[in-house]
Amino acid sequence: MSDTPFGFGLPPEEPEDGDEGKKKDPQSGGGQGPANPFGFGLSGAGGFGGPGGPGADNPLAAMFGSLNPTDLGAAFQQLGQMLSYEGGPVNWDMAQQIARQTVAQGTSDGVKDASVGPAEQSSVQEAVRLADLWLDDATSLPSGAGSAVAWSRAEWVEATLPAWKELVNPVAERVGTAMGDVLPEEMQAMAGPLIGMMRSMGGAMFGSQIGQAVGVLAGEVVGSSDIGLPLGPAGKAALLPANVEAFGKDLGVPNDEVRLYLALREAAHQRLFAHVPWLRSHLFGAVDGYARGIKVDTAKLEDVVGQFDPQNPEQLQDALQQGMFQPEDTPEQKAALARLETALALVEGWVDAVVHAAAKPRLSSADALRETLRRRRASGGPAEQTFATLIGLELRPRRLRDASRLWASLTDARGVDGRDGLWAHPDMLPTAADLDDPDGFVHREQLDFSELDKILGEAASGSTGGKPDLDKGPGKPEAGEPEPGAKDDDTE
Protein backbone atom coordinates (compact mmCIF):
# COMPACT_ATOMS: atom_id res chain seq x y z
CA MET A 1 0.00 0.00 0.00
CA SER A 2 1.45 3.32 -0.91
CA ASP A 3 2.22 5.97 1.68
CA THR A 4 1.07 8.53 -0.81
CA PRO A 5 -2.44 9.79 0.03
CA PHE A 6 -5.20 9.01 -2.41
CA GLY A 7 -4.81 12.38 -4.04
CA PHE A 8 -2.82 13.32 -7.08
CA GLY A 9 0.55 14.41 -5.81
CA LEU A 10 2.42 14.38 -2.55
CA PRO A 11 1.01 16.25 0.47
CA PRO A 12 2.84 19.34 1.66
CA GLU A 13 4.86 18.99 4.81
CA GLU A 14 3.20 19.99 8.06
CA PRO A 15 4.43 23.41 9.23
CA GLU A 16 6.51 23.31 12.35
CA ASP A 17 4.74 26.30 13.91
CA GLY A 18 1.12 25.20 13.56
CA ASP A 19 -1.42 27.34 11.73
CA GLU A 20 0.93 30.28 11.64
CA GLY A 21 3.23 28.25 9.45
CA LYS A 22 0.55 28.09 6.79
CA LYS A 23 0.64 31.83 6.22
CA LYS A 24 2.88 32.03 3.24
CA ASP A 25 3.91 34.92 1.14
CA PRO A 26 1.17 35.34 -1.50
CA GLN A 27 3.85 35.52 -4.14
CA SER A 28 5.06 32.07 -3.20
CA GLY A 29 1.89 30.35 -4.42
CA GLY A 30 1.01 29.08 -0.96
CA GLY A 31 4.10 26.91 -0.85
CA GLN A 32 3.03 24.97 -3.97
CA GLY A 33 5.89 26.25 -6.08
CA PRO A 34 7.43 29.53 -7.13
CA ALA A 35 4.75 32.06 -8.04
CA ASN A 36 2.14 29.51 -9.05
CA PRO A 37 -1.26 30.80 -7.95
CA PHE A 38 -3.17 28.06 -9.76
CA GLY A 39 -1.37 25.30 -7.88
CA PHE A 40 -0.77 23.29 -11.05
CA GLY A 41 2.42 21.42 -11.53
CA LEU A 42 4.74 18.85 -10.11
CA SER A 43 7.47 20.32 -7.99
CA GLY A 44 10.99 19.27 -8.63
CA ALA A 45 13.43 19.43 -11.48
CA GLY A 46 11.90 19.08 -14.85
CA GLY A 47 8.34 19.53 -13.61
CA PHE A 48 6.08 22.49 -14.02
CA GLY A 49 6.84 25.01 -11.36
CA GLY A 50 10.09 23.27 -10.48
CA PRO A 51 13.51 24.81 -10.60
CA GLY A 52 14.37 25.50 -14.17
CA GLY A 53 10.83 24.81 -15.32
CA PRO A 54 8.62 27.43 -16.95
CA GLY A 55 6.60 27.79 -13.74
CA ALA A 56 9.59 29.39 -12.07
CA ASP A 57 9.16 32.50 -14.18
CA ASN A 58 5.57 32.34 -15.30
CA PRO A 59 2.65 31.56 -12.97
CA LEU A 60 0.49 30.30 -15.85
CA ALA A 61 3.17 28.21 -17.49
CA ALA A 62 1.96 24.95 -16.00
CA MET A 63 -1.20 25.22 -18.07
CA PHE A 64 -0.13 27.29 -21.05
CA GLY A 65 3.62 26.88 -21.45
CA SER A 66 5.96 29.82 -21.85
CA LEU A 67 3.94 32.94 -22.55
CA ASN A 68 4.71 36.31 -23.98
CA PRO A 69 2.46 39.38 -24.14
CA THR A 70 1.36 38.63 -27.70
CA ASP A 71 -0.31 35.32 -26.82
CA LEU A 72 -1.62 36.27 -23.37
CA GLY A 73 -5.13 36.64 -24.84
CA ALA A 74 -4.98 33.10 -26.18
CA ALA A 75 -3.93 31.87 -22.75
CA PHE A 76 -6.96 33.39 -21.05
CA GLN A 77 -9.17 32.03 -23.80
CA GLN A 78 -7.84 28.59 -22.92
CA LEU A 79 -8.54 29.28 -19.25
CA GLY A 80 -12.14 30.05 -20.21
CA GLN A 81 -12.36 26.77 -22.07
CA MET A 82 -11.11 24.97 -18.97
CA LEU A 83 -13.76 26.58 -16.80
CA SER A 84 -16.47 25.69 -19.30
CA TYR A 85 -15.43 22.03 -19.44
CA GLU A 86 -18.49 19.76 -19.12
CA GLY A 87 -17.03 16.34 -19.76
CA GLY A 88 -16.24 13.46 -17.43
CA PRO A 89 -14.38 13.51 -14.11
CA VAL A 90 -11.03 14.22 -15.80
CA ASN A 91 -10.31 16.84 -18.44
CA TRP A 92 -8.39 14.48 -20.69
CA ASP A 93 -7.83 17.11 -23.35
CA MET A 94 -5.90 19.11 -20.76
CA ALA A 95 -4.10 15.97 -19.57
CA GLN A 96 -2.97 15.22 -23.10
CA GLN A 97 -1.84 18.78 -23.72
CA ILE A 98 0.15 19.05 -20.48
CA ALA A 99 1.70 15.61 -20.97
CA ARG A 100 2.91 16.68 -24.41
CA GLN A 101 4.25 19.95 -22.99
CA THR A 102 6.09 18.07 -20.25
CA VAL A 103 7.64 15.73 -22.80
CA ALA A 104 8.69 18.67 -24.99
CA GLN A 105 10.62 20.19 -22.07
CA GLY A 106 12.87 17.15 -21.87
CA THR A 107 14.01 15.19 -18.85
CA SER A 108 15.86 16.56 -15.84
CA ASP A 109 19.21 15.62 -17.41
CA GLY A 110 18.46 17.86 -20.36
CA VAL A 111 17.64 15.13 -22.91
CA LYS A 112 14.95 16.29 -25.30
CA ASP A 113 12.42 14.10 -27.07
CA ALA A 114 13.11 13.37 -30.72
CA SER A 115 11.46 11.54 -33.57
CA VAL A 116 12.52 7.93 -34.02
CA GLY A 117 14.56 7.32 -37.16
CA PRO A 118 14.51 4.31 -39.50
CA ALA A 119 17.68 2.85 -37.98
CA GLU A 120 16.15 2.83 -34.49
CA GLN A 121 12.92 1.33 -35.79
CA SER A 122 14.90 -1.43 -37.45
CA SER A 123 16.96 -2.10 -34.31
CA VAL A 124 13.86 -2.45 -32.13
CA GLN A 125 12.09 -4.70 -34.64
CA GLU A 126 15.13 -6.95 -34.88
CA ALA A 127 15.49 -7.10 -31.09
CA VAL A 128 11.84 -8.09 -30.61
CA ARG A 129 12.09 -10.67 -33.39
CA LEU A 130 15.15 -12.28 -31.75
CA ALA A 131 13.54 -12.04 -28.32
CA ASP A 132 10.52 -13.97 -29.54
CA LEU A 133 12.78 -16.74 -30.86
CA TRP A 134 14.49 -17.05 -27.49
CA LEU A 135 11.19 -17.04 -25.61
CA ASP A 136 9.95 -20.03 -27.61
CA ASP A 137 12.24 -22.20 -25.47
CA ALA A 138 11.18 -20.60 -22.19
CA THR A 139 7.37 -20.60 -22.39
CA SER A 140 4.60 -22.57 -24.03
CA LEU A 141 2.69 -19.38 -24.81
CA PRO A 142 3.21 -18.40 -28.47
CA SER A 143 4.25 -14.98 -29.65
CA GLY A 144 1.78 -12.21 -28.88
CA ALA A 145 3.49 -9.38 -30.73
CA GLY A 146 1.93 -8.88 -34.13
CA SER A 147 4.24 -5.93 -34.69
CA ALA A 148 7.16 -4.16 -33.04
CA VAL A 149 7.62 -0.40 -32.98
CA ALA A 150 10.03 2.18 -31.64
CA TRP A 151 8.26 5.11 -30.01
CA SER A 152 9.29 8.60 -29.11
CA ARG A 153 8.13 9.80 -25.70
CA ALA A 154 5.32 11.81 -27.28
CA GLU A 155 4.14 8.71 -29.15
CA TRP A 156 4.14 6.76 -25.88
CA VAL A 157 1.88 9.41 -24.34
CA GLU A 158 -0.60 9.21 -27.20
CA ALA A 159 -0.61 5.41 -27.27
CA THR A 160 -1.12 4.91 -23.52
CA LEU A 161 -3.68 7.61 -22.70
CA PRO A 162 -6.67 5.28 -23.35
CA ALA A 163 -5.36 2.88 -20.70
CA TRP A 164 -4.74 5.69 -18.22
CA LYS A 165 -8.36 6.74 -18.68
CA GLU A 166 -9.52 3.28 -17.63
CA LEU A 167 -7.26 3.32 -14.60
CA VAL A 168 -7.87 6.84 -13.34
CA ASN A 169 -11.51 7.59 -14.15
CA PRO A 170 -12.95 5.37 -11.36
CA VAL A 171 -10.93 7.30 -8.77
CA ALA A 172 -11.74 10.70 -10.24
CA GLU A 173 -15.43 9.87 -10.37
CA ARG A 174 -15.42 9.64 -6.59
CA VAL A 175 -14.59 13.34 -6.36
CA GLY A 176 -17.04 14.35 -9.08
CA THR A 177 -19.89 12.53 -7.33
CA ALA A 178 -18.94 13.81 -3.90
CA MET A 179 -18.89 17.41 -5.11
CA GLY A 180 -22.57 17.18 -5.91
CA ASP A 181 -23.48 15.29 -2.75
CA VAL A 182 -21.97 17.48 -0.07
CA LEU A 183 -24.72 20.10 -0.32
CA PRO A 184 -28.27 19.40 0.91
CA GLU A 185 -30.61 18.44 -1.88
CA GLU A 186 -32.72 21.60 -1.50
CA MET A 187 -29.59 23.72 -1.96
CA GLN A 188 -28.19 21.89 -4.96
CA ALA A 189 -30.53 23.59 -7.43
CA MET A 190 -29.60 27.02 -6.10
CA ALA A 191 -25.90 26.21 -6.13
CA GLY A 192 -25.97 24.60 -9.56
CA PRO A 193 -23.62 27.08 -11.27
CA LEU A 194 -21.13 26.84 -8.39
CA ILE A 195 -21.18 23.05 -8.42
CA GLY A 196 -20.74 23.08 -12.19
CA MET A 197 -17.74 25.38 -11.88
CA MET A 198 -16.24 23.21 -9.16
CA ARG A 199 -16.64 20.08 -11.25
CA SER A 200 -15.04 21.83 -14.21
CA MET A 201 -12.16 22.90 -12.02
CA GLY A 202 -11.94 19.44 -10.48
CA GLY A 203 -11.69 17.89 -13.94
CA ALA A 204 -9.00 20.41 -14.80
CA MET A 205 -7.07 19.70 -11.61
CA PHE A 206 -7.10 15.96 -12.24
CA GLY A 207 -6.21 16.54 -15.88
CA SER A 208 -3.29 18.75 -14.89
CA GLN A 209 -1.90 16.28 -12.37
CA ILE A 210 -2.37 13.25 -14.62
CA GLY A 211 -0.90 15.04 -17.62
CA GLN A 212 2.20 16.02 -15.72
CA ALA A 213 2.64 12.56 -14.18
CA VAL A 214 2.23 10.79 -17.51
CA GLY A 215 4.55 13.29 -19.18
CA VAL A 216 7.26 12.72 -16.57
CA LEU A 217 6.76 8.96 -16.81
CA ALA A 218 7.23 9.14 -20.58
CA GLY A 219 10.79 10.25 -19.92
CA GLU A 220 11.53 7.15 -17.83
CA VAL A 221 9.71 4.08 -19.18
CA VAL A 222 11.43 1.78 -21.62
CA GLY A 223 8.36 0.06 -23.12
CA SER A 224 4.60 -0.26 -22.99
CA SER A 225 4.37 -2.61 -19.99
CA ASP A 226 6.67 -1.24 -17.29
CA ILE A 227 4.05 -1.42 -14.53
CA GLY A 228 2.80 -4.90 -15.37
CA LEU A 229 -0.31 -3.59 -17.11
CA PRO A 230 -0.96 -3.52 -20.87
CA LEU A 231 -0.85 0.24 -21.40
CA GLY A 232 -0.32 0.13 -25.16
CA PRO A 233 -2.38 -1.29 -28.04
CA ALA A 234 -2.86 -5.05 -28.00
CA GLY A 235 -0.30 -7.04 -29.93
CA LYS A 236 2.13 -4.14 -30.41
CA ALA A 237 5.50 -4.55 -28.69
CA ALA A 238 7.12 -1.16 -28.18
CA LEU A 239 10.42 0.21 -26.91
CA LEU A 240 11.54 3.81 -26.46
CA PRO A 241 15.10 3.97 -27.85
CA ALA A 242 16.06 7.19 -26.05
CA ASN A 243 14.99 5.78 -22.69
CA VAL A 244 16.57 2.39 -23.39
CA GLU A 245 19.88 4.15 -23.98
CA ALA A 246 19.48 6.21 -20.80
CA PHE A 247 18.63 3.07 -18.79
CA GLY A 248 21.87 1.33 -19.81
CA LYS A 249 24.08 4.41 -19.76
CA ASP A 250 26.05 3.63 -16.58
CA LEU A 251 25.71 -0.15 -16.50
CA GLY A 252 28.80 -0.99 -18.52
CA VAL A 253 26.69 -3.24 -20.76
CA PRO A 254 26.60 -2.86 -24.57
CA ASN A 255 23.48 -1.04 -25.74
CA ASP A 256 22.55 -3.95 -28.02
CA GLU A 257 22.37 -6.30 -25.02
CA VAL A 258 20.36 -3.82 -22.98
CA ARG A 259 17.91 -3.40 -25.85
CA LEU A 260 17.60 -7.15 -26.33
CA TYR A 261 16.98 -7.84 -22.64
CA LEU A 262 14.29 -5.16 -22.47
CA ALA A 263 12.80 -6.53 -25.70
CA LEU A 264 12.57 -9.94 -23.99
CA ARG A 265 10.53 -8.38 -21.18
CA GLU A 266 8.27 -6.53 -23.59
CA ALA A 267 7.72 -9.61 -25.76
CA ALA A 268 7.01 -11.77 -22.69
CA HIS A 269 4.34 -9.34 -21.51
CA GLN A 270 2.80 -9.41 -24.97
CA ARG A 271 2.61 -13.21 -24.94
CA LEU A 272 0.93 -13.27 -21.57
CA PHE A 273 -1.71 -10.64 -22.32
CA ALA A 274 -2.40 -11.99 -25.81
CA HIS A 275 -2.95 -15.61 -24.79
CA VAL A 276 -4.57 -15.18 -21.38
CA PRO A 277 -7.73 -13.43 -22.61
CA TRP A 278 -9.23 -12.85 -19.16
CA LEU A 279 -6.10 -11.26 -17.69
CA ARG A 280 -6.49 -7.68 -18.89
CA SER A 281 -10.08 -7.35 -17.71
CA HIS A 282 -9.13 -9.08 -14.46
CA LEU A 283 -6.41 -6.51 -13.71
CA PHE A 284 -8.34 -3.44 -14.80
CA GLY A 285 -11.44 -4.76 -13.02
CA ALA A 286 -9.44 -5.13 -9.81
CA VAL A 287 -8.26 -1.52 -10.11
CA ASP A 288 -11.83 -0.38 -10.74
CA GLY A 289 -13.20 -2.42 -7.84
CA TYR A 290 -10.61 -1.09 -5.46
CA ALA A 291 -11.10 2.51 -6.60
CA ARG A 292 -14.87 2.32 -6.18
CA GLY A 293 -14.35 1.21 -2.60
CA ILE A 294 -12.48 4.41 -1.80
CA LYS A 295 -14.47 6.91 0.22
CA VAL A 296 -14.17 10.66 0.03
CA ASP A 297 -13.61 12.66 3.20
CA THR A 298 -16.92 14.51 2.94
CA ALA A 299 -16.19 16.65 5.99
CA LYS A 300 -13.09 18.01 4.30
CA LEU A 301 -14.92 18.43 1.01
CA GLU A 302 -17.81 20.25 2.74
CA ASP A 303 -15.28 22.62 4.24
CA VAL A 304 -13.78 23.23 0.80
CA VAL A 305 -17.22 23.82 -0.73
CA GLY A 306 -18.23 26.19 2.05
CA GLN A 307 -15.12 28.31 1.60
CA PHE A 308 -14.69 27.91 -2.15
CA ASP A 309 -13.53 31.11 -3.83
CA PRO A 310 -13.83 31.04 -7.65
CA GLN A 311 -10.87 33.44 -7.78
CA ASN A 312 -8.75 30.96 -5.83
CA PRO A 313 -9.18 27.61 -7.61
CA GLU A 314 -6.02 26.20 -6.05
CA GLN A 315 -8.15 25.30 -3.02
CA LEU A 316 -9.35 22.24 -4.90
CA GLN A 317 -5.76 21.35 -5.71
CA ASP A 318 -4.83 21.64 -2.04
CA ALA A 319 -7.72 19.36 -1.07
CA LEU A 320 -6.59 16.72 -3.55
CA GLN A 321 -3.00 16.90 -2.33
CA GLN A 322 -3.90 16.64 1.35
CA GLY A 323 -5.53 13.24 1.16
CA MET A 324 -9.22 13.59 0.32
CA PHE A 325 -9.36 9.89 -0.56
CA GLN A 326 -9.19 7.09 1.97
CA PRO A 327 -9.77 3.35 1.47
CA GLU A 328 -12.75 1.75 3.12
CA ASP A 329 -11.52 -0.40 5.96
CA THR A 330 -13.79 -3.29 5.05
CA PRO A 331 -13.13 -6.96 4.24
CA GLU A 332 -14.28 -6.34 0.66
CA GLN A 333 -11.83 -3.49 0.18
CA LYS A 334 -8.96 -5.43 1.70
CA ALA A 335 -9.79 -8.38 -0.54
CA ALA A 336 -9.83 -6.12 -3.62
CA LEU A 337 -6.41 -4.74 -2.71
CA ALA A 338 -5.01 -8.23 -2.10
CA ARG A 339 -6.35 -9.47 -5.45
CA LEU A 340 -4.84 -6.57 -7.35
CA GLU A 341 -1.43 -6.68 -5.67
CA THR A 342 -1.22 -10.46 -6.05
CA ALA A 343 -2.26 -10.37 -9.71
CA LEU A 344 0.32 -7.69 -10.53
CA ALA A 345 3.00 -9.62 -8.65
CA LEU A 346 2.15 -12.82 -10.54
CA VAL A 347 2.37 -11.06 -13.90
CA GLU A 348 5.70 -9.43 -13.12
CA GLY A 349 7.07 -12.54 -11.42
CA TRP A 350 6.21 -14.72 -14.41
CA VAL A 351 7.85 -12.28 -16.82
CA ASP A 352 10.94 -12.09 -14.59
CA ALA A 353 11.28 -15.87 -14.41
CA VAL A 354 10.62 -16.50 -18.11
CA VAL A 355 12.95 -13.75 -19.31
CA HIS A 356 15.72 -14.96 -17.01
CA ALA A 357 15.35 -18.50 -18.34
CA ALA A 358 15.60 -17.22 -21.91
CA ALA A 359 18.45 -14.76 -21.36
CA LYS A 360 20.70 -16.56 -18.87
CA PRO A 361 22.24 -19.04 -21.36
CA ARG A 362 22.69 -16.39 -24.05
CA LEU A 363 23.56 -13.06 -22.43
CA SER A 364 26.54 -12.67 -20.13
CA SER A 365 24.88 -9.55 -18.67
CA ALA A 366 21.57 -11.30 -17.88
CA ASP A 367 22.13 -11.46 -14.12
CA ALA A 368 23.26 -7.83 -13.89
CA LEU A 369 20.35 -6.54 -15.96
CA ARG A 370 17.86 -8.60 -13.98
CA GLU A 371 19.14 -7.26 -10.67
CA THR A 372 19.19 -3.69 -11.99
CA LEU A 373 15.53 -3.92 -12.94
CA ARG A 374 14.65 -5.49 -9.59
CA ARG A 375 16.44 -2.74 -7.69
CA ARG A 376 14.78 -0.12 -9.84
CA ARG A 377 11.43 -1.55 -8.78
CA ALA A 378 12.49 -1.98 -5.15
CA SER A 379 13.65 1.62 -4.86
CA GLY A 380 10.32 2.90 -6.11
CA GLY A 381 11.05 3.36 -9.78
CA PRO A 382 9.14 5.95 -11.79
CA ALA A 383 6.49 3.54 -13.00
CA GLU A 384 5.62 2.40 -9.50
CA GLN A 385 5.70 5.94 -8.12
CA THR A 386 3.37 7.24 -10.82
CA PHE A 387 0.99 4.32 -10.38
CA ALA A 388 0.95 4.93 -6.64
CA THR A 389 0.28 8.63 -7.13
CA LEU A 390 -2.52 8.22 -9.66
CA ILE A 391 -4.26 5.16 -8.26
CA GLY A 392 -3.06 5.05 -4.66
CA LEU A 393 -1.46 1.62 -5.06
CA GLU A 394 1.97 0.19 -5.66
CA LEU A 395 3.39 -3.25 -6.34
CA ARG A 396 5.46 -4.32 -3.36
CA PRO A 397 8.89 -5.56 -4.45
CA ARG A 398 8.78 -8.42 -1.93
CA ARG A 399 5.79 -9.84 -3.73
CA LEU A 400 7.60 -9.60 -7.06
CA ARG A 401 10.57 -11.63 -5.84
CA ASP A 402 8.32 -14.17 -4.12
CA ALA A 403 6.28 -14.60 -7.30
CA SER A 404 9.39 -15.01 -9.42
CA ARG A 405 10.71 -17.73 -7.12
CA LEU A 406 7.36 -19.49 -7.17
CA TRP A 407 7.21 -19.53 -10.99
CA ALA A 408 10.79 -20.82 -11.17
CA SER A 409 9.96 -23.59 -8.70
CA LEU A 410 6.89 -24.52 -10.71
CA THR A 411 9.05 -24.81 -13.81
CA ASP A 412 11.36 -27.25 -12.05
CA ALA A 413 8.49 -29.28 -10.61
CA ARG A 414 5.95 -29.32 -13.44
CA GLY A 415 7.80 -28.18 -16.52
CA VAL A 416 7.08 -25.23 -18.77
CA ASP A 417 3.69 -26.55 -19.89
CA GLY A 418 2.54 -27.28 -16.34
CA ARG A 419 3.63 -23.86 -15.16
CA ASP A 420 2.00 -21.92 -17.99
CA GLY A 421 -1.13 -24.05 -17.81
CA LEU A 422 -2.05 -22.30 -14.57
CA TRP A 423 -2.98 -19.21 -16.59
CA ALA A 424 -5.93 -21.13 -18.07
CA HIS A 425 -8.24 -19.90 -15.30
CA PRO A 426 -7.86 -17.29 -12.54
CA ASP A 427 -8.90 -19.81 -9.89
CA MET A 428 -5.86 -21.93 -10.73
CA LEU A 429 -3.35 -19.17 -10.00
CA PRO A 430 -1.42 -18.90 -6.73
CA THR A 431 -2.90 -16.69 -4.04
CA ALA A 432 -1.23 -14.23 -1.68
CA ALA A 433 -0.94 -17.03 0.88
CA ASP A 434 0.76 -19.21 -1.75
CA LEU A 435 3.37 -16.50 -2.29
CA ASP A 436 4.18 -16.85 1.41
CA ASP A 437 4.48 -20.63 1.04
CA PRO A 438 5.62 -21.32 -2.54
CA ASP A 439 6.82 -24.87 -1.78
CA GLY A 440 3.40 -25.77 -0.43
CA PHE A 441 1.74 -24.61 -3.63
CA VAL A 442 4.29 -26.23 -5.94
CA HIS A 443 3.91 -29.67 -4.36
CA ARG A 444 0.19 -29.46 -3.76
CA GLU A 445 -1.91 -31.95 -5.69
CA GLN A 446 -2.92 -30.31 -8.94
CA LEU A 447 -6.58 -29.64 -9.49
CA ASP A 448 -8.07 -31.46 -12.46
CA PHE A 449 -10.46 -29.23 -14.39
CA SER A 450 -10.82 -31.62 -17.33
CA GLU A 451 -14.12 -33.16 -16.19
CA LEU A 452 -15.59 -29.74 -15.42
CA ASP A 453 -14.52 -28.47 -18.84
CA LYS A 454 -16.08 -31.55 -20.45
CA ILE A 455 -19.39 -31.04 -18.67
CA LEU A 456 -19.45 -27.34 -19.52
CA GLY A 457 -18.61 -28.10 -23.14
CA GLU A 458 -21.39 -30.63 -23.42
CA ALA A 459 -23.85 -28.24 -21.82
CA ALA A 460 -22.86 -25.52 -24.26
CA SER A 461 -23.41 -27.84 -27.23
CA GLY A 462 -26.92 -28.73 -26.00
CA SER A 463 -26.17 -32.30 -24.93
CA THR A 464 -28.23 -34.17 -22.34
CA GLY A 465 -26.89 -36.68 -19.87
CA GLY A 466 -23.63 -36.95 -21.74
CA LYS A 467 -25.35 -38.37 -24.91
CA PRO A 468 -26.33 -36.58 -28.12
CA ASP A 469 -29.88 -35.24 -28.11
CA LEU A 470 -31.57 -37.17 -30.96
CA ASP A 471 -34.81 -35.22 -30.59
CA LYS A 472 -33.28 -31.99 -31.88
CA GLY A 473 -31.68 -30.80 -35.04
CA PRO A 474 -32.57 -30.74 -38.72
CA GLY A 475 -33.47 -34.04 -40.27
CA LYS A 476 -34.26 -35.72 -36.92
CA PRO A 477 -37.59 -37.55 -36.35
CA GLU A 478 -40.27 -36.08 -34.10
CA ALA A 479 -40.06 -36.81 -30.41
CA GLY A 480 -41.29 -40.30 -29.58
CA GLU A 481 -40.75 -41.55 -33.13
CA PRO A 482 -37.91 -44.11 -33.40
CA GLU A 483 -34.89 -43.44 -35.54
CA PRO A 484 -35.00 -45.53 -38.74
CA GLY A 485 -33.30 -48.86 -38.11
CA ALA A 486 -33.07 -48.27 -34.34
CA LYS A 487 -34.37 -50.74 -31.74
CA ASP A 488 -37.10 -49.89 -29.29
CA ASP A 489 -35.93 -49.40 -25.72
CA ASP A 490 -37.92 -52.41 -24.48
CA THR A 491 -36.15 -54.72 -26.96
CA GLU A 492 -32.67 -53.87 -25.72
Side-chain angles (χ1 to χ4, degrees):
M1 191 62 205
S2 171
D3 294 332
T4 305
F6 287 83
F8 289 69
L10 297 176
E13 295 182 357
E14 280 291 303
E16 296 180 355
D17 51 351
D19 292 339
E20 290 299 316
K22 299 179 182 178
K23 298 178 181 178
K24 304 292 184 180
D25 183 349
Q27 296 300 319
S28 69
Q32 295 291 328
N36 192 344
F38 285 88
F40 291 159
L42 294 176
S43 59
F48 290 103
D57 299 317
N58 193 327
L60 295 177
M63 287 187 292
F64 307 117
S66 298
L67 296 178
N68 56 62
T70 60
D71 58 15
L72 188 59
F76 279 103
Q77 181 180 5
Q78 187 169 354
L79 177 60
Q81 293 173 350
M82 180 190 73
L83 292 172
S84 62
Y85 172 72
E86 297 180 352
V90 178
N91 189 331
W92 286 104
D93 291 337
M94 173 170 285
Q96 180 184 34
Q97 176 186 352
I98 291 181
R100 293 295 297 264
Q101 290 176 355
T102 306
V103 165
Q105 292 175 11
T107 53
S108 58
D109 57 2
V111 178
K112 299 287 186 179
D113 192 26
S115 300
V116 177
E120 292 172 317
Q121 287 283 1
S122 178
S123 295
V124 168
Q125 291 170 355
E126 182 61 29
V128 173
R129 190 158 38 242
L130 181 57
D132 258 336
L133 288 176
W134 289 5
L135 288 172
D136 284 339
D137 297 331
T139 175
S140 62
L141 300 180
S143 174
S147 61
V149 294
W151 282 340
S152 67
R153 294 164 182 166
E155 288 173 323
W156 182 89
V157 168
E158 297 293 337
T160 61
L161 270 180
W164 288 115
K165 291 180 182 180
E166 285 191 62
L167 291 169
V168 174
N169 273 341
V171 178
E173 284 175 358
R174 302 293 295 169
V175 169
T177 301
M179 282 183 174
D181 293 342
V182 293
L183 292 178
E185 185 175 352
E186 62 273 11
M187 294 181 60
Q188 290 186 17
M190 298 174 59
L194 175 60
I195 294 176
M197 178 182 293
M198 290 182 62
R199 285 178 173 167
S200 296
M201 291 301 300
M205 298 301 176
F206 276 107
S208 173
Q209 289 291 306
I210 294 165
Q212 291 178 30
V214 171
V216 171
L217 183 57
E220 304 284 353
V221 294
V222 296
S224 71
S225 53
D226 283 36
I227 63 173
L229 292 172
L231 295 179
K236 183 173 288 187
L239 293 178
L240 284 70
N243 296 352
V244 170
E245 183 177 355
F247 172 82
K249 183 178 180 181
D250 299 321
L251 298 180
V253 178
N255 192 52
D256 288 347
E257 290 193 25
V258 175
R259 183 192 305 114
L260 182 52
Y261 191 87
L262 296 176
L264 280 166
R265 289 182 54 83
E266 180 73 10
H269 278 103
Q270 293 294 331
R271 288 186 180 223
L272 191 59
F273 288 114
H275 299 291
V276 183
W278 55 264
L279 183 57
R280 187 186 191 280
S281 60
H282 179 75
L283 288 169
F284 279 70
V287 173
D288 181 86
Y290 181 78
R292 294 191 185 281
I294 294 172
K295 65 180 179 181
V296 177
D297 188 341
T298 55
K300 179 178 291 185
L301 188 56
E302 286 174 358
D303 184 61
V304 173
V305 172
Q307 302 179 24
F308 179 69
D309 180 2
Q311 295 182 358
N312 189 19
E314 72 173 345
Q315 288 177 341
L316 288 178
Q317 177 78 3
D318 293 340
L320 292 177
Q321 288 183 328
Q322 293 176 20
M324 186 180 294
F325 299 124
Q326 294 183 359
E328 291 276 10
D329 189 17
T330 64
E332 293 79 11
Q333 183 72 349
K334 292 178 179 179
L337 175 61
R339 283 195 303 271
L340 178 58
E341 289 184 337
T342 301
L344 287 172
L346 290 174
V347 168
E348 286 294 272
W350 183 88
V351 168
D352 181 78
V354 167
V355 167
H356 185 69
K360 177 68 173 176
R362 300 176 174 94
L363 289 179
S364 59
S365 58
D367 287 332
L369 289 169
R370 184 191 200 188
E371 189 59 29
T372 298
L373 284 163
R374 283 181 163 186
R375 289 182 179 181
R376 189 187 195 210
R377 181 64 61 90
S379 62
E384 291 77 14
Q385 293 287 357
T386 298
F387 190 50
T389 300
L390 296 182
I391 311 299
L393 301 167
E394 64 181 16
L395 176 63
R396 291 183 295 170
R398 184 178 66 85
R399 298 284 83 182
L400 166 61
R401 290 179 181 268
D402 290 345
S404 181
R405 284 194 292 268
L406 187 147
W407 288 119
S409 297
L410 282 168
T411 307
D412 295 337
R414 304 184 187 181
V416 169
D417 291 342
R419 177 200 66 198
D420 294 345
L422 293 177
W423 290 106
H425 193 279
D427 290 343
M428 298 175 65
L429 289 176
T431 64
D434 295 324
L435 294 181
D436 294 328
D437 181 23
D439 290 338
F441 179 84
V442 169
H443 299 293
R444 185 183 307 159
E445 183 178 353
Q446 300 182 46
L447 298 176
D448 186 0
F449 284 81
S450 58
E451 284 300 318
L452 176 61
D453 290 341
K454 180 180 178 181
I455 294 173
L456 293 175
E458 291 173 345
S461 63
S463 60
T464 303
K467 298 181 180 180
D469 188 349
L470 301 179
D471 293 334
K472 297 181 180 180
K476 298 292 186 286
E478 294 294 330
E481 184 177 335
E483 185 84 66
K487 297 181 180 179
D488 292 334
D489 290 342
D490 58 357
T491 63
E492 291 182 346

